[in-house]
Amino acid sequence: MDLQLDQLRALDAVISEGTFEAAARRLSVTPSAISQRIKALEDSAGRILVQRTKPVQPTESGLTVLRLAKQVQLLTSDTVRELGDENQPAARLVNIPIAVNADSLQTWVMSALGRAAAGVTFEIHREDEEHTTRLLRDGTVMAAITSTAAPVQGCTVRRLGAMRYRPTANAEFARTWFPDGPTAQAFAVAPVILFDRKDDLQFRLMRRYTRRPVDPPRHYIPSSAGFSDAIRFGLGWGMMPDLQTRPGDKLVPLDRAVHIDVPLYWQQWRLDSPALGMVAATIAEAAAAALL
């Protein structure tokens, strides 16, 4: 296949922006030029790469070529920066898309990204740590903080540490709903806070006590800060990371002896990229200071 750089850029822009018109604005060309580049790329690949829907969606083959497009753009930006040609737009900023779970993003990741921000822009995809590897596989992100130790194909993996979660409530809620402590009967009726419908952490904890499925009242709050505030304000109990506790919090663990440690790993594309390597180093340094 003879894959041209302008064609790969067009594919990335079309998938990222969702339409040929938006991709044309991003690349400062006409929609017709974008269409021609995508058609030439598909002819070279010998298969359809994008579904002409709104928004545009990549086919399975398109995801494979999209990953190549992002890799080529990253390495091109690194090379231009090393050559020192500051007149080239690619020499100024390298864009690195990363998938991060909400609790890490809320507590320790932002400080790391701040130290790594010189010459780099980030596109953060917030996703549960058990599902971030999907974004690596389909080429949406170049790196991810994940709970999966097995490396995604074409990626390297590094253990970062673990976040410790405890079953937590405010003191008044605990007295009202758990007067006899964390019993199976209390967990069956006490309101619980869930991040979203993929959040299984609270039910993992409850199974230690109930030994059977329970269906308590639940709140869904898809925000890390909102989740912890909901616990503070007494909407329910939830698995709260130690990193989110504050001095003076009127919070109590439902069981001081119980916690769940969620291991975290850094997975990234297997590329010799100075920019990506610098981001990985700052993430690892911040994790060493914050995690278990």
Side-chain angles (χ1 to χ4, degrees):
M1 291 188 297
D2 183 17
L3 305 181
Q4 304 297 315
L5 184 57
D6 62 343
Q7 297 169 5
L8 294 173
R9 285 176 175 160
L11 177 66
D12 182 32
V14 164
I15 300 304
S16 299
E17 301 297 331
T19 67
F20 282 57
E21 292 76 14
R25 288 193 295 271
R26 172 170 149 181
L27 297 181
S28 301
V29 298
T30 65
S32 176
I34 293 293
S35 181
Q36 291 170 14
R37 292 176 188 181
I38 296 298
K39 180 64 167 61
L41 186 60
E42 290 179 327
D43 288 344
S44 181
R47 60 199 69 194
I48 299 298
L49 301 179
V50 298
Q51 299 171 0
R52 272 69 169 175
T53 55
K54 286 195 174 181
V56 171
Q57 296 292 331
T59 64
E60 208 159 310
S61 297
L63 288 173
T64 300
V65 180
L66 176 64
R67 179 171 175 142
L68 172 64
K70 290 182 179 294
Q71 291 174 337
V72 169
Q73 289 189 64
L74 175 61
L75 295 176
T76 299
S77 296
D78 281 334
T79 301
V80 172
R81 286 165 59 83
E82 286 187 36
L83 291 174
D85 186 354
E86 296 298 330
N87 293 320
Q88 292 290 332
R92 295 195 291 271
L93 290 173
V94 177
N95 182 258
I96 298 181
I98 302 173
V100 184
N101 63 304
D103 289 337
S104 292
L105 192 62
Q106 179 70 26
T107 53
W108 64 272
V109 165
M110 292 306 297
S111 63
L113 298 185
R115 292 195 296 276
V120 178
T121 60
F122 297 103
E123 181 180 349
I124 302 299
H125 296 255
R126 191 197 67 192
E127 182 58 274
D128 184 273
E129 64 272 8
E130 295 181 0
H131 299 87
T132 50
T133 52
R134 173 182 57 82
L135 300 177
L136 275 172
R137 289 189 185 94
D138 67 21
T140 301
V141 300
M142 298 177 184
I145 293 175
T146 175
S147 61
T148 304
V152 172
Q153 184 176 4
C155 293
T156 62
V157 61
R158 173 193 300 189
R159 192 179 194 280
L160 296 174
M163 290 192 75
R164 176 160 291 177
Y165 291 78
R166 301 178 192 274
T168 304
N170 79 16
E172 182 178 353
F173 181 94
R175 286 193 297 269
T176 301
W177 292 95
F178 294 90
D180 300 316
T183 64
Q185 293 77 13
F187 279 121
V189 297
V192 61
I193 311 294
L194 303 177
F195 187 84
D196 57 25
R197 283 172 171 77
K198 294 183 290 186
D199 181 7
D200 186 49
L201 201 58
Q202 284 67 218
F203 288 98
R204 284 170 55 188
L205 185 284
M206 283 189 277
R207 284 194 288 270
R208 297 185 180 185
Y209 297 88
T210 64
R211 309 294 182 184
R212 60 181 176 83
V214 293
D215 188 25
R218 60 200 71 178
H219 302 281
Y220 293 98
I221 304 180
S223 158
S224 184
F227 185 100
S228 60
D229 283 344
I231 296 173
R232 288 187 176 92
F233 295 139
L235 272 71
W237 73 273
M239 296 299 291
M240 190 167 171
D242 285 353
L243 291 175
Q244 282 190 311
T245 58
R246 304 169 185 168
D249 264 341
K250 295 181 179 179
L251 299 176
V252 295
L254 297 181
D255 189 332
R256 295 184 183 278
V258 172
H259 60 264
I260 294 178
D261 291 340
V262 176
L264 296 177
Y265 301 86
W266 174 259
Q267 294 210 33
Q268 69 176 59
W269 290 353
R270 195 184 300 274
L271 289 176
D272 186 16
S273 163
L276 190 54
M278 178 264 295
V279 173
T282 56
I283 287 287
E285 180 182 355
L291 302 181
L292 298 175

